Coordinates of all heavy atoms in Angstrom, one line a residue:
M1 N -43.0 -12.6 231.2 CA -41.9 -13.1 230.6 C -40.8 -13.5 231.6 O -40.4 -12.8 232.5 CB -41.3 -12.0 229.6 CG -40.1 -12.4 228.9 SD -39.8 -11.3 227.5 CE -38.2 -10.7 227.9
N2 N -40.4 -14.7 231.5 CA -39.4 -15.3 232.4 C -38.0 -15.1 231.8 O -37.7 -15.6 230.8 CB -39.6 -16.8 232.7 CG -40.8 -17.0 233.5 OD1 -41.3 -16.0 234.2 ND2 -41.4 -18.2 233.5
A3 N -37.1 -14.5 232.7 CA -35.7 -14.3 232.2 C -35.0 -15.6 232.7 O -35.2 -15.9 233.9 CB -35.2 -13.1 232.7
T4 N -34.1 -16.1 231.9 CA -33.3 -17.2 232.4 C -31.9 -16.6 232.7 O -31.3 -15.8 232.0 CB -33.2 -18.3 231.3 OG1 -32.7 -17.7 230.1 CG2 -34.5 -19.0 231.1
H5 N -31.4 -17.0 233.8 CA -30.0 -16.6 234.3 C -29.1 -17.8 234.3 O -29.5 -18.8 234.8 CB -30.1 -16.0 235.7 CG -31.0 -14.8 235.7 ND1 -30.6 -13.6 235.2 CD2 -32.3 -14.6 236.2 CE1 -31.6 -12.7 235.4 NE2 -32.7 -13.3 236.0
A6 N -27.9 -17.5 233.8 CA -26.9 -18.6 233.7 C -26.5 -18.9 235.2 O -26.3 -18.0 236.0 CB -25.7 -18.2 232.9
Q7 N -26.4 -20.2 235.5 CA -25.9 -20.5 236.8 C -24.5 -20.4 236.9 O -23.7 -20.5 235.8 CB -26.3 -22.0 237.1 CG -27.8 -22.3 237.1 CD -28.5 -21.6 238.2 OE1 -28.0 -21.5 239.3 NE2 -29.6 -21.0 237.9
P8 N -23.9 -20.1 238.0 CA -22.4 -19.8 238.1 C -21.6 -21.0 237.6 O -20.5 -20.8 237.1 CB -22.2 -19.6 239.6 CG -23.5 -19.4 240.2 CD -24.6 -19.9 239.3
H9 N -22.1 -22.2 237.8 CA -21.4 -23.4 237.3 C -22.2 -24.3 236.4 O -22.4 -25.5 236.6 CB -20.9 -24.2 238.5 CG -20.0 -23.5 239.4 ND1 -18.6 -23.3 239.0 CD2 -20.1 -22.9 240.6 CE1 -18.0 -22.6 240.0 NE2 -18.9 -22.4 240.9
E10 N -22.8 -23.6 235.4 CA -23.6 -24.4 234.5 C -22.8 -25.3 233.6 O -21.8 -25.0 233.1 CB -24.3 -23.3 233.5 CG -25.4 -23.9 232.6 CD -26.1 -22.9 231.8 OE1 -26.2 -21.7 232.3 OE2 -26.6 -23.2 230.8
R11 N -23.3 -26.5 233.5 CA -22.6 -27.6 232.7 C -22.8 -27.2 231.2 O -23.8 -26.8 230.7 CB -23.2 -29.0 233.0 CG -22.8 -29.5 234.3 CD -23.3 -30.9 234.5 NE -24.3 -31.4 233.6 CZ -24.5 -32.7 233.2 NH1 -23.7 -33.6 233.7 NH2 -25.5 -33.0 232.4
I12 N -21.7 -27.5 230.5 CA -21.8 -27.4 229.0 C -21.1 -28.6 228.4 O -20.3 -29.3 229.0 CB -21.0 -26.1 228.5 CG1 -19.6 -26.1 229.1 CG2 -21.8 -24.9 228.9 CD1 -18.8 -24.9 228.6
R13 N -21.5 -28.9 227.2 CA -20.9 -30.1 226.5 C -19.4 -29.6 226.1 O -19.2 -28.5 225.8 CB -21.6 -30.4 225.2 CG -22.9 -31.1 225.5 CD -23.6 -31.5 224.2 NE -25.0 -31.9 224.4 CZ -25.4 -33.1 224.7 NH1 -24.5 -34.0 224.7 NH2 -26.6 -33.4 224.9
L14 N -18.5 -30.6 226.1 CA -17.1 -30.3 225.7 C -17.1 -29.7 224.3 O -16.3 -28.8 224.0 CB -16.3 -31.5 225.9 CG -14.8 -31.3 225.9 CD1 -14.4 -30.3 227.0 CD2 -14.1 -32.6 226.2
T15 N -18.0 -30.2 223.4 CA -18.0 -29.8 222.0 C -18.5 -28.3 221.9 O -18.3 -27.7 220.9 CB -18.8 -30.7 221.1 OG1 -20.1 -30.9 221.8 CG2 -18.1 -32.0 220.9
G16 N -19.2 -27.9 222.9 CA -19.7 -26.5 222.9 C -18.9 -25.5 223.6 O -19.2 -24.3 223.8
T17 N -17.7 -25.9 224.1 CA -16.8 -25.0 224.8 C -15.9 -24.3 223.8 O -15.3 -24.9 222.9 CB -15.9 -25.9 225.7 OG1 -16.7 -26.7 226.6 CG2 -15.0 -25.0 226.5
P18 N -15.9 -23.0 223.9 CA -15.0 -22.1 223.0 C -13.6 -22.5 223.1 O -13.0 -22.8 224.2 CB -15.3 -20.7 223.5 CG -16.6 -20.8 224.3 CD -16.6 -22.1 224.9
V19 N -12.8 -22.4 222.0 CA -11.4 -22.5 222.0 C -10.7 -21.5 222.9 O -11.1 -20.3 223.0 CB -10.9 -22.4 220.5 CG1 -9.3 -22.4 220.5 CG2 -11.4 -23.5 219.7
G20 N -9.8 -22.0 223.7 CA -9.0 -21.1 224.6 C -9.6 -21.1 226.0 O -8.9 -20.7 227.0
R21 N -10.7 -21.7 226.2 CA -11.4 -21.7 227.5 C -10.8 -22.8 228.4 O -10.6 -24.0 228.0 CB -12.9 -21.9 227.3 CG -13.7 -22.0 228.5 CD -14.3 -20.7 229.1 NE -14.7 -19.7 228.2 CZ -15.9 -19.4 227.8 NH1 -16.9 -20.1 228.2 NH2 -16.1 -18.3 227.1
M22 N -10.7 -22.5 229.7 CA -10.3 -23.5 230.7 C -11.6 -24.0 231.3 O -12.5 -23.2 231.6 CB -9.5 -22.9 231.8 CG -8.1 -22.5 231.4 SD -7.0 -24.0 231.1 CE -7.0 -24.8 232.6
V23 N -11.8 -25.3 231.4 CA -13.0 -25.9 231.9 C -12.6 -27.1 232.8 O -11.5 -27.6 232.8 CB -13.9 -26.5 230.9 CG1 -14.5 -25.3 230.0 CG2 -13.3 -27.5 230.0
R24 N -13.5 -27.4 233.7 CA -13.3 -28.5 234.6 C -14.3 -29.6 234.2 O -15.5 -29.4 234.1 CB -13.6 -28.1 236.1 CG -13.0 -28.9 237.1 CD -13.0 -28.2 238.5 NE -12.2 -27.0 238.6 CZ -10.9 -27.0 238.7 NH1 -10.2 -28.1 238.6 NH2 -10.2 -25.9 238.9
I25 N -13.8 -30.8 234.0 CA -14.6 -31.9 233.6 C -15.6 -32.3 234.8 O -15.1 -32.4 235.9 CB -13.8 -33.2 233.2 CG1 -12.8 -32.9 232.1 CG2 -14.7 -34.4 232.9 CD1 -13.5 -32.3 230.8
T26 N -16.9 -32.4 234.5 CA -17.8 -32.7 235.6 C -18.4 -34.1 235.5 O -18.7 -34.7 236.5 CB -19.0 -31.7 235.6 OG1 -19.7 -31.7 234.4 CG2 -18.4 -30.3 235.9
D27 N -18.6 -34.6 234.3 CA -19.3 -35.8 234.1 C -19.1 -36.4 232.7 O -18.8 -35.7 231.8 CB -20.8 -35.6 234.3 CG -21.6 -36.9 234.5 OD1 -21.0 -37.9 234.9 OD2 -22.8 -36.8 234.2
F28 N -19.2 -37.8 232.6 CA -19.2 -38.5 231.4 C -20.7 -39.0 231.2 O -21.2 -39.6 232.1 CB -18.2 -39.6 231.3 CG -16.8 -39.2 231.5 CD1 -16.2 -39.2 232.7 CD2 -16.1 -38.7 230.4 CE1 -14.8 -38.8 232.8 CE2 -14.8 -38.3 230.5 CZ -14.1 -38.4 231.7
G29 N -21.2 -38.7 230.0 CA -22.6 -39.2 229.7 C -22.7 -40.7 229.6 O -21.6 -41.4 229.4
D30 N -23.8 -41.2 229.7 CA -24.1 -42.6 229.6 C -23.7 -43.2 228.2 O -23.5 -44.5 228.2 CB -25.6 -43.0 229.9 CG -26.0 -42.7 231.3 OD1 -25.1 -42.6 232.2 OD2 -27.2 -42.5 231.5
A31 N -23.6 -42.4 227.2 CA -23.2 -42.9 225.9 C -21.7 -43.3 225.8 O -21.3 -44.0 224.9 CB -23.5 -41.9 224.8
I32 N -21.0 -42.9 226.8 CA -19.5 -43.3 226.8 C -19.4 -44.6 227.6 O -19.8 -44.6 228.8 CB -18.7 -42.2 227.5 CG1 -18.7 -41.0 226.6 CG2 -17.2 -42.7 227.6 CD1 -18.0 -39.8 227.1
D33 N -19.0 -45.6 227.0 CA -19.0 -47.0 227.6 C -17.8 -47.1 228.6 O -16.9 -46.2 228.7 CB -19.0 -48.1 226.6 CG -17.7 -48.2 225.8 OD1 -16.6 -47.9 226.3 OD2 -17.8 -48.5 224.6
A34 N -17.8 -48.1 229.4 CA -16.9 -48.3 230.5 C -15.4 -48.3 230.0 O -14.5 -47.7 230.6 CB -17.2 -49.5 231.3
L35 N -15.2 -48.9 228.8 CA -13.8 -49.0 228.3 C -13.3 -47.6 227.9 O -12.2 -47.2 228.2 CB -13.8 -50.0 227.1 CG -12.4 -50.1 226.5 CD1 -11.4 -50.6 227.4 CD2 -12.5 -51.1 225.3
Q36 N -14.2 -46.8 227.2 CA -13.8 -45.5 226.8 C -13.5 -44.6 228.1 O -12.6 -43.8 228.1 CB -14.9 -44.8 226.0 CG -15.0 -45.3 224.6 CD -16.2 -44.6 223.9 OE1 -17.2 -44.5 224.4 NE2 -15.9 -44.2 222.6
R37 N -14.4 -44.8 229.1 CA -14.2 -44.0 230.3 C -12.8 -44.3 230.9 O -12.1 -43.5 231.3 CB -15.2 -44.3 231.3 CG -16.6 -43.7 231.1 CD -17.6 -44.3 232.0 NE -18.9 -44.0 231.6 CZ -19.7 -43.1 232.1 NH1 -19.3 -42.4 233.1 NH2 -20.9 -42.9 231.6
E38 N -12.5 -45.6 230.9 CA -11.2 -46.0 231.5 C -10.1 -45.5 230.7 O -9.1 -45.0 231.3 CB -11.1 -47.6 231.4 CG -10.6 -48.2 232.6 CD -10.6 -49.8 232.5 OE1 -11.8 -50.3 232.9 OE2 -9.7 -50.4 232.1
Q39 N -10.2 -45.5 229.4 CA -9.1 -44.9 228.5 C -9.0 -43.4 228.7 O -7.9 -42.9 228.9 CB -9.4 -45.1 227.0 CG -9.3 -46.6 226.7 CD -9.8 -46.9 225.3 OE1 -10.6 -46.2 224.7 NE2 -9.3 -48.0 224.7
L40 N -10.1 -42.7 228.8 CA -10.0 -41.2 229.1 C -9.4 -40.9 230.5 O -8.6 -40.0 230.6 CB -11.4 -40.6 229.0 CG -12.1 -40.6 227.6 CD1 -13.5 -40.3 227.7 CD2 -11.3 -39.7 226.7
H41 N -9.7 -41.7 231.5 CA -9.1 -41.6 232.8 C -7.6 -41.8 232.7 O -6.8 -41.1 233.4 CB -9.7 -42.5 233.8 CG -11.1 -42.1 234.2 ND1 -11.4 -41.0 235.1 CD2 -12.4 -42.6 234.0 CE1 -12.6 -40.9 235.3 NE2 -13.3 -41.8 234.6
A42 N -7.2 -42.8 231.9 CA -5.8 -43.1 231.8 C -5.0 -42.0 231.2 O -3.8 -41.8 231.5 CB -5.6 -44.4 231.0
Y43 N -5.7 -41.2 230.3 CA -5.0 -40.0 229.7 C -5.1 -38.8 230.6 O -4.6 -37.8 230.3 CB -5.6 -39.7 228.4 CG -5.3 -40.7 227.3 CD1 -6.3 -41.4 226.7 CD2 -4.0 -40.8 226.8 CE1 -6.0 -42.4 225.6 CE2 -3.7 -41.8 225.9 CZ -4.7 -42.5 225.3 OH -4.3 -43.3 224.3
G44 N -5.7 -38.9 231.8 CA -5.8 -37.8 232.7 C -7.0 -37.0 232.7 O -7.2 -36.0 233.4
L45 N -8.0 -37.5 231.9 CA -9.3 -36.8 231.8 C -10.2 -37.4 232.8 O -10.7 -38.5 232.7 CB -9.8 -36.9 230.4 CG -10.9 -36.0 230.0 CD1 -10.3 -34.5 230.0 CD2 -11.3 -36.2 228.6
S46 N -10.5 -36.7 233.9 CA -11.3 -37.2 234.9 C -12.2 -36.1 235.5 O -11.9 -34.9 235.3 CB -10.5 -37.9 236.0 OG -9.6 -37.0 236.6
A47 N -13.2 -36.5 236.3 CA -14.1 -35.5 236.9 C -13.2 -34.6 237.8 O -12.3 -35.0 238.5 CB -15.1 -36.2 237.7
A48 N -13.6 -33.3 237.8 CA -13.0 -32.3 238.6 C -11.6 -31.9 238.0 O -10.9 -31.1 238.7 CB -12.9 -32.6 240.1
H49 N -11.2 -32.4 236.9 CA -9.9 -32.1 236.3 C -10.0 -30.9 235.4 O -10.8 -30.9 234.5 CB -9.4 -33.3 235.6 CG -7.9 -33.3 235.3 ND1 -7.0 -34.2 235.8 CD2 -7.2 -32.4 234.6 CE1 -5.8 -33.9 235.4 NE2 -5.9 -32.8 234.7
A50 N -9.2 -29.8 235.5 CA -9.2 -28.7 234.7 C -8.4 -29.0 233.4 O -7.3 -29.5 233.4 CB -8.6 -27.5 235.4
V51 N -9.0 -28.6 232.2 CA -8.3 -28.8 230.9 C -8.5 -27.5 230.1 O -9.5 -26.7 230.4 CB -8.9 -30.0 230.1 CG1 -8.6 -31.3 230.9 CG2 -10.3 -29.8 229.9
K52 N -7.7 -27.3 229.1 CA -7.9 -26.1 228.2 C -8.3 -26.6 226.8 O -7.6 -27.5 226.3 CB -6.6 -25.3 228.1 CG -6.7 -24.1 227.3 CD -5.4 -23.2 227.3 CE -5.6 -22.0 226.6 NZ -4.4 -21.1 226.7
V53 N -9.3 -26.1 226.2 CA -9.7 -26.4 224.9 C -8.8 -25.7 223.9 O -8.8 -24.5 223.9 CB -11.2 -26.1 224.7 CG1 -11.6 -26.4 223.3 CG2 -12.1 -26.8 225.7
L54 N -8.1 -26.5 223.1 CA -7.1 -25.9 222.1 C -7.7 -25.8 220.7 O -7.3 -24.9 220.0 CB -5.9 -26.7 222.1 CG -5.0 -26.9 223.4 CD1 -3.9 -27.8 223.1 CD2 -4.6 -25.5 223.8
Q55 N -8.7 -26.7 220.4 CA -9.2 -26.8 219.1 C -10.6 -27.5 219.1 O -10.8 -28.3 219.9 CB -8.2 -27.6 218.2 CG -8.6 -28.0 216.9 CD -7.4 -28.8 216.2 OE1 -6.3 -28.4 216.4 NE2 -7.8 -29.8 215.6
Q56 N -11.5 -27.1 218.2 CA -12.8 -27.8 218.1 C -13.0 -28.5 216.7 O -13.8 -29.3 216.6 CB -13.9 -26.9 218.3 CG -14.1 -26.6 219.8 CD -14.6 -27.7 220.6 OE1 -14.7 -28.9 220.2 NE2 -14.9 -27.5 221.9
T57 N -12.2 -28.2 215.7 CA -12.3 -28.8 214.4 C -11.0 -29.3 213.9 O -10.0 -28.5 214.1 CB -13.0 -27.9 213.3 OG1 -12.3 -26.7 213.3 CG2 -14.4 -27.6 213.7
P58 N -10.8 -30.4 213.3 CA -11.9 -31.3 213.0 C -12.2 -32.2 214.2 O -13.2 -33.0 214.2 CB -11.3 -32.2 211.9 CG -9.8 -32.2 212.1 CD -9.5 -30.8 212.7
M59 N -11.4 -32.1 215.2 CA -11.7 -32.9 216.5 C -11.5 -31.9 217.7 O -10.9 -30.8 217.5 CB -10.7 -34.0 216.6 CG -10.8 -35.1 215.6 SD -9.5 -36.3 215.6 CE -9.8 -37.2 217.1
T60 N -12.0 -32.3 218.8 CA -11.8 -31.5 220.0 C -10.5 -31.9 220.6 O -10.2 -33.0 220.8 CB -12.9 -31.8 221.1 OG1 -14.2 -31.5 220.5 CG2 -12.7 -31.1 222.3
V61 N -9.6 -30.9 220.8 CA -8.3 -31.1 221.3 C -8.1 -30.4 222.5 O -8.5 -29.2 222.6 CB -7.2 -30.6 220.2 CG1 -5.8 -30.9 220.9 CG2 -7.3 -31.3 218.9
L62 N -7.7 -31.1 223.6 CA -7.5 -30.5 224.9 C -6.1 -30.5 225.4 O -5.4 -31.4 225.0 CB -8.3 -31.4 225.9 CG -9.8 -31.6 225.6 CD1 -10.3 -32.7 226.7 CD2 -10.6 -30.3 225.6
L63 N -5.7 -29.6 226.2 CA -4.5 -29.7 226.9 C -4.8 -30.1 228.4 O -5.4 -29.5 229.1 CB -3.8 -28.3 227.0 CG -2.4 -28.2 227.6 CD1 -1.4 -29.1 226.9 CD2 -1.9 -26.8 227.6
C64 N -4.2 -31.3 228.6 CA -4.5 -31.9 229.9 C -3.1 -32.3 230.6 O -2.5 -33.2 230.1 CB -5.3 -33.2 229.7 SG -5.8 -34.1 231.1
E65 N -2.7 -31.5 231.5 CA -1.4 -31.7 232.2 C -0.3 -31.9 231.2 O 0.4 -32.9 231.2 CB -1.5 -33.0 233.1 CG -2.3 -32.8 234.3 CD -2.2 -33.9 235.3 OE1 -1.4 -34.8 235.1 OE2 -3.0 -33.9 236.3
H66 N -0.1 -30.9 230.4 CA 1.0 -30.8 229.4 C 1.0 -31.8 228.3 O 1.9 -32.0 227.5 CB 2.4 -30.9 230.1 CG 2.5 -30.0 231.3 ND1 2.7 -28.6 231.1 CD2 2.6 -30.2 232.6 CE1 2.8 -28.1 232.3 NE2 2.8 -29.1 233.3
V67 N -0.2 -32.5 228.1 CA -0.4 -33.5 227.1 C -1.6 -33.0 226.2 O -2.7 -32.7 226.8 CB -0.7 -34.9 227.7 CG1 -1.0 -35.8 226.6 CG2 0.5 -35.3 228.4
E68 N -1.4 -33.0 224.9 CA -2.6 -32.7 224.0 C -3.3 -34.0 223.7 O -2.7 -35.0 223.4 CB -2.1 -32.1 222.8 CG -1.6 -30.7 222.9 CD -1.2 -30.0 221.6 OE1 -1.6 -30.5 220.5 OE2 -0.5 -28.9 221.7
L69 N -4.7 -33.9 224.0 CA -5.5 -35.1 223.8 C -6.6 -34.7 222.8 O -7.3 -33.8 223.0 CB -6.1 -35.4 225.2 CG -7.1 -36.6 225.2 CD1 -6.4 -37.9 224.8 CD2 -7.7 -36.7 226.6
A70 N -6.6 -35.5 221.7 CA -7.6 -35.3 220.6 C -8.7 -36.3 220.8 O -8.5 -37.5 221.0 CB -7.0 -35.5 219.2
I71 N -10.0 -35.7 220.8 CA -11.1 -36.6 221.1 C -12.2 -36.4 220.0 O -12.5 -35.2 219.6 CB -11.8 -36.2 222.4 CG1 -10.8 -36.3 223.6 CG2 -13.0 -37.0 222.7 CD1 -11.3 -35.8 224.9
E72 N -12.6 -37.4 219.4 CA -13.6 -37.4 218.3 C -14.9 -36.7 218.9 O -15.3 -36.9 220.0 CB -14.0 -38.8 217.8 CG -12.8 -39.4 217.1 CD -13.1 -40.8 216.6 OE1 -14.4 -41.2 216.6 OE2 -12.3 -41.5 216.2
H73 N -15.6 -35.9 218.0 CA -16.8 -35.3 218.5 C -17.9 -36.3 219.0 O -18.7 -35.9 219.8 CB -17.4 -34.4 217.4 CG -16.6 -33.1 217.2 ND1 -16.8 -32.3 216.2 CD2 -15.5 -32.6 217.9 CE1 -16.0 -31.3 216.2 NE2 -15.2 -31.5 217.3
A74 N -17.9 -37.5 218.4 CA -18.8 -38.5 218.8 C -18.7 -38.8 220.3 O -19.6 -39.2 221.0 CB -18.7 -39.7 218.0
V75 N -17.5 -38.7 220.8 CA -17.2 -38.9 222.2 C -17.3 -37.6 223.0 O -17.9 -37.5 224.0 CB -15.8 -39.6 222.4 CG1 -15.5 -39.7 223.9 CG2 -15.8 -40.9 221.7
A76 N -16.7 -36.5 222.5 CA -16.6 -35.3 223.2 C -17.9 -34.7 223.5 O -18.1 -34.0 224.5 CB -15.8 -34.3 222.4
R77 N -18.9 -34.9 222.7 CA -20.2 -34.3 222.9 C -20.9 -35.0 224.1 O -21.9 -34.4 224.6 CB -21.2 -34.4 221.7 CG -21.8 -35.8 221.5 CD -22.8 -35.7 220.4 NE -22.6 -36.8 219.4 CZ -22.2 -36.6 218.2 NH1 -22.1 -35.5 217.6 NH2 -22.0 -37.7 217.4
H78 N -20.4 -36.1 224.6 CA -20.9 -36.8 225.8 C -20.1 -36.5 227.1 O -20.3 -37.1 228.1 CB -21.1 -38.2 225.6 CG -22.0 -38.5 224.4 ND1 -23.4 -38.3 224.5 CD2 -21.8 -39.0 223.2 CE1 -24.0 -38.7 223.4 NE2 -23.0 -39.1 222.5
I79 N -19.2 -35.5 226.9 CA -18.4 -35.2 228.1 C -18.9 -33.8 228.6 O -18.9 -32.9 227.7 CB -16.9 -35.1 227.8 CG1 -16.4 -36.5 227.4 CG2 -16.1 -34.6 229.0 CD1 -15.0 -36.6 226.9
W80 N -19.2 -33.6 229.8 CA -19.8 -32.4 230.4 C -18.7 -31.7 231.2 O -17.9 -32.3 231.9 CB -21.0 -32.7 231.2 CG -22.1 -33.3 230.4 CD1 -22.4 -34.6 230.2 CD2 -23.1 -32.5 229.8 NE1 -23.5 -34.7 229.4 CE2 -24.0 -33.4 229.1 CE3 -23.4 -31.1 229.6 CZ2 -25.0 -33.0 228.3 CZ3 -24.5 -30.7 228.8 CH2 -25.3 -31.7 228.2
A81 N -18.7 -30.4 231.1 CA -17.7 -29.5 231.8 C -18.4 -28.3 232.4 O -19.5 -28.0 232.0 CB -16.6 -29.2 230.8
E82 N -17.6 -27.5 233.2 CA -18.1 -26.3 233.7 C -16.9 -25.4 233.7 O -15.7 -25.8 233.7 CB -18.6 -26.4 235.1 CG -17.6 -26.8 236.2 CD -18.2 -27.0 237.5 OE1 -19.5 -27.1 237.7 OE2 -17.5 -27.1 238.5
P83 N -17.1 -24.0 233.6 CA -16.0 -23.1 233.6 C -15.1 -23.4 234.8 O -15.5 -23.6 235.9 CB -16.6 -21.7 233.7 CG -18.0 -22.0 233.1 CD -18.4 -23.4 233.6
A84 N -13.8 -23.3 234.6 CA -12.8 -23.5 235.6 C -12.5 -22.2 236.4 O -12.6 -21.2 235.9 CB -11.5 -24.1 235.1

């Protein structure tokens, strides 16, 4: 029987991040087009940036540098993060 051990910096989808958790954005999936990426970067959401998950329903809401950012699940599920 093989035991699986969580890696110290295992990536998780933003939609799978528990409310109240601080995470660091690691990557945007290929499903997010260039214009969406540009918009997310303009709001301060970028790789290596720490954010706090405030809410998961009905949308994912993040606290990013004193600004609350609501992201539809169709987009948030393609944003990857790791514990901050």
